Amino acid sequence: MAHLFNRNVLVGVSGGIAAYKSAELVRQLQELGASVRVIMTRGAREFITPLTLQALSGNPVHTELLDPEAELGMSHIELARWADVLLIAPATADLLARLATGRADDLLTTVALATAAPLVLAPAMNQQMWRDRATAANVATLAARGCKLVGPASGEQACGDVGPGRMVEPPVIAAAVAGIFENGLLDGRRVVITAGPTREALDPVRYISNHSSGKMGYALAQAAVDAGARTTLVSGPVTLPAPDHVRVLQVESACEMLDTCLELLPECDIFIACAAVADYRPGAVAQQKIKKGPDEINLKLVRNPDIVATVAAGRERPFTVGFAAETHELLKHAREKMLRKGLDMIVANDVSDKSIGFNSDNNEATVLWPDGEQVLALSGKGAMARQIIQLIAQRLASGEH
Ligand code: C5P
């Protein structure tokens, strides 16, 4: 069943009578699990108030491109990055024309240019305007660029005409948006993903850990499920909801994470190590709470096992993917790490840049494999996860690993 859990859907509403249906559409998208933000054109605001869509979406509605206050809240570039998909419904003849020519003369068209997310269009207009050759040419241009068109439907129109141009009903549009995230790239494959931090106990109440949010690992699990894989997350303690249809096995320490992964190995075709595993753990866990006492105490730490390297060194090893967070000489160090750990692929992140990586919603990375590499542009972690899953599927399909 198609769904939109953990998806950010940016809804653009342009100025046609069908704009009144956008309210129901926002609700339908949310029912499928999406987070929704709305951009309205000036024309749209003649038909329906921003307040309606703000109340339904639970977020302020975005309307102006050059409004300093709005840009302070969430700039057009942030909106463009936030979106996992941009859905424009209704898309008027004028909006299709502006998109087709690449104009950026209001917030909606600017975001449409600035986003790497897929674009879904639900046209709505008078039947003669839809049939006009100019509109037909614009639609053909947009379709050739990869935009997905949903509708229009045929029937009686608000203006009294009968013919093609009615916006299709909101449930159909919402289902079409959900459908674009489903692909069969990893049909039938079994994927295990480690995510989040580990906690290394010092005593019954204290531990050593790190700030990993688990967002990237959870986004990868979502992308793997959408690609048709049977997906298991081996997750350290995080506050994220489990993606639908993903089995989540909760662990705390690195040793527990390793044990769980090794148990899963006989049923694993692809292993993705995304967890921020603590490199060291306390040499001994105190049975009782360590009492405050001297000014200084020493902690003895011992090395944790390297989970991904252990998996990669196994006899029946899965296709194994690791991550490398580096502050300098990113690609050199990442490639060394891939070889040292015996990986098939590594995702290299520059963590000297605070706007990406740990805890942030955006990510920028280079994916490396033994005889190639690909840069993934800055995007939301959802979009990045889908690109990584796509590359894994390509490598598996090429059989060159
Ligand atoms: O060695 P480093 O921690 O930089 O390597 C990062 C990669 O190795 C990540 O994929 C991480 O999940 C994995 N790793 C692991 N077990 C460890 C340490 C790192 O699986 N003990």
Side-chain angles (χ1 to χ4, degrees):
M1 195 1 225
H3 64 84
L4 287 165
F5 286 105
N6 301 326
R7 299 288 185 208
N8 294 336
V9 180
L10 187 56
V11 178
V13 183
S14 61
I17 182 63
Y20 81 91
K21 290 190 190 172
S22 305
E24 177 58 15
L25 179 58
V26 167
R27 245 180 35 74
Q28 294 279 341
L29 292 164
Q30 285 173 325
E31 247 165 51
L32 290 182
S35 299
V36 178
R37 285 183 174 271
V38 179
I39 297 177
M40 296 178 82
T41 64
R42 184 163 307 192
R45 282 175 276 149
E46 302 288 338
F47 289 93
I48 178 172
T49 69
L51 195 59
T52 306
L53 296 180
Q54 173 176 315
L56 286 168
S57 68
N59 286 311
V61 168
H62 305 267
T63 54
E64 301 297 336
L65 179 58
L66 300 173
D67 174 355
E69 228 169 83
E71 287 285 301
L72 273 179
M74 198 173 194
S75 74
H76 62 285
I77 297 296
E78 282 167 309
L79 268 176
R81 283 186 191 145
W82 176 86
D84 289 320
V85 57
L86 173 58
L87 162 67
I88 304 183
T92 59
D94 173 64
L95 194 95
L96 295 177
R98 288 190 290 135
L99 289 175
T101 47
R103 296 195 61 137
D105 48 6
D106 65 3
L107 180 61
L108 182 53
T109 48
T110 303
V111 169
L113 281 185
T115 190
L119 189 54
V120 180
L121 303 167
M125 65 199 74
N126 165 269
Q127 53 85 25
Q128 193 53 51
M129 291 171 83
W130 174 255
R131 288 189 169 117
D132 188 274
R133 278 188 297 169
T135 303
N138 291 332
V139 167
T141 302
L142 291 165
R145 274 186 217 148
C147 299
K148 184 182 171 89
L149 280 120
V150 188
S154 253
E156 204 164 306
Q157 301 203 295
C159 54
D161 280 8
V162 176
R166 285 168 57 98
M167 187 167 93
V168 293
E169 294 305 314
V172 180
I173 299 175
V177 172
I180 62 167
F181 294 106
E182 292 196 327
N183 61 62
L185 282 174
L186 294 181
D187 257 345
R189 305 273 196 179
R190 297 158 305 176
V191 177
V192 174
I193 301 167
T194 67
T198 62
R199 277 184 188 168
E200 310 298 332
L202 279 160
D203 68 17
V205 293
R206 303 188 183 92
Y207 54 80
I208 298 173
S209 190
N210 61 63
H211 289 297
S212 167
S213 64
K215 283 178 190 164
M216 191 66 220
Y218 276 58
L220 279 163
Q222 176 77 68
V225 162
D226 291 341
R230 270 165 47 197
T231 307
T232 306
L233 262 173
V234 182
S235 176
V238 296
T239 53
L240 299 171
D244 247 26
H245 311 296
V246 172
R247 176 162 65 138
V248 184
L249 303 177
Q250 309 278 1
V251 297
E252 294 236 333
S253 67
C255 291
E256 244 186 284
M257 188 174 268
L258 175 65
D259 290 346
T260 306
C261 290
L262 291 179
E263 271 169 36
L264 293 168
L265 268 194
E267 289 176 22
C268 171
D269 305 309
I270 300 165
F271 183 81
I272 308 176
C274 199
V277 184
D279 290 323
Y280 292 90
R281 67 180 182 279
V285 183
Q287 292 305 306
Q288 275 155 6
K289 187 178 165 195
I290 300 168
K291 284 279 177 215
K292 194 161 37 213
D295 285 347
E296 269 186 23
I297 56 170
N298 290 318
L299 269 183
K300 184 176 173 221
L301 300 177
V302 296
R303 272 293 281 272
N304 264 330
D306 191 311
I307 300 169
V308 74
T310 310
V311 167
R315 260 199 313 133
E316 304 249 340
R317 63 196 294 285
F319 185 88
T320 308
V321 183
F323 278 71
E326 308 287 345
T327 52
H328 62 288
E329 294 204 83
L330 177 65
L331 299 188
K332 179 169 167 272
H333 287 145
R335 202 165 274 286
E336 276 167 14
K337 194 166 289 183
M338 174 167 62
L339 292 176
R340 179 161 35 87
K341 299 195 184 211
L343 311 179
D344 298 297
M345 184 179 268
I346 197 158
V347 183
N349 270 119
D350 179 354
V351 284
S352 63
D353 184 343
K354 287 274 179 287
S355 65
I356 55 174
F358 255 45
N359 263 327
S360 86
D361 286 321
N362 291 320
N363 211 344
E364 186 175 36
T366 304
V367 180
L368 309 159
W369 55 95
D371 57 355
E373 64 188 57
Q374 184 164 324
V375 178
L376 306 181
L378 182 63
S379 59
K381 284 187 173 168
M384 175 123 312
R386 286 191 288 283
Q387 294 182 73
I388 293 169
I389 291 293
Q390 205 170 354
L391 282 171
I392 292 172
Q394 275 170 19
R395 292 293 300 156
L396 276 170
S398 77
E400 285 169 28
H401 56 277

